[in-house]
Amino acid sequence: MSGRDIGTVAYARTPAKLPTILNGDEIVRFLEAVPSLRTRTALTTAYAAGLRASVAVHLKVRDIDGERIRVEHGKGGKDRNVVLSAQLLAILRVYWRLVRP
């Protein structure tokens, strides 16, 4: 015997499906449809910087400087730096001026 029960049947694996990729216009329409400025800014930051949702939620103001976003305890508990685009920096500055969280 190979360690498996005689009564078990091995099922074929289901093939992994690739996610649906949105084009630029669809992304803009999606983000413009979000009513909350806070949520829209968080989603824009996560998408533009390629962050996971859990990382985006835990970002602090001190993690963002003029050139990069410091990600602490990312995937695998590792710290890393993410490039901050000029366009995203402008969006974050407008948010900061309007809300002052």
Side-chain angles (χ1 to χ4, degrees):
M1 284 206 189
S2 63
R4 292 186 180 187
D5 293 333
I6 295 174
T8 61
V9 176
Y11 292 100
R13 292 184 180 175
T14 57
K17 295 180 182 177
L18 293 175
T20 303
I21 305 297
L22 302 177
N23 65 33
D25 293 335
E26 292 171 329
I27 293 166
V28 170
R29 282 198 335 254
F30 169 75
L31 292 172
E32 287 175 347
V34 177
S36 167
L37 177 63
R38 180 180 182 184
T39 305
R40 187 179 326 124
T41 304
L43 288 171
T44 302
T45 302
Y47 182 79
L51 303 176
R52 293 169 172 263
S54 61
V55 171
V57 168
H58 289 98
L59 280 179
K60 307 276 188 280
V61 173
R62 71 176 197 279
D63 295 334
I64 302 169
D65 66 15
E67 299 175 2
R68 66 188 65 83
I69 298 174
R70 175 86 176 141
V71 174
E72 295 180 353
H73 310 297
K75 184 177 178 181
K78 297 179 182 177
D79 297 346
R80 64 187 174 106
N81 290 319
V82 178
V83 176
L84 178 62
S85 70
Q87 189 174 10
L88 178 57
L89 181 59
I91 291 169
L92 292 172
R93 284 183 172 158
V94 167
Y95 174 77
W96 179 255
R97 278 189 221 113
L98 293 174
V99 179
R100 298 266 180 176

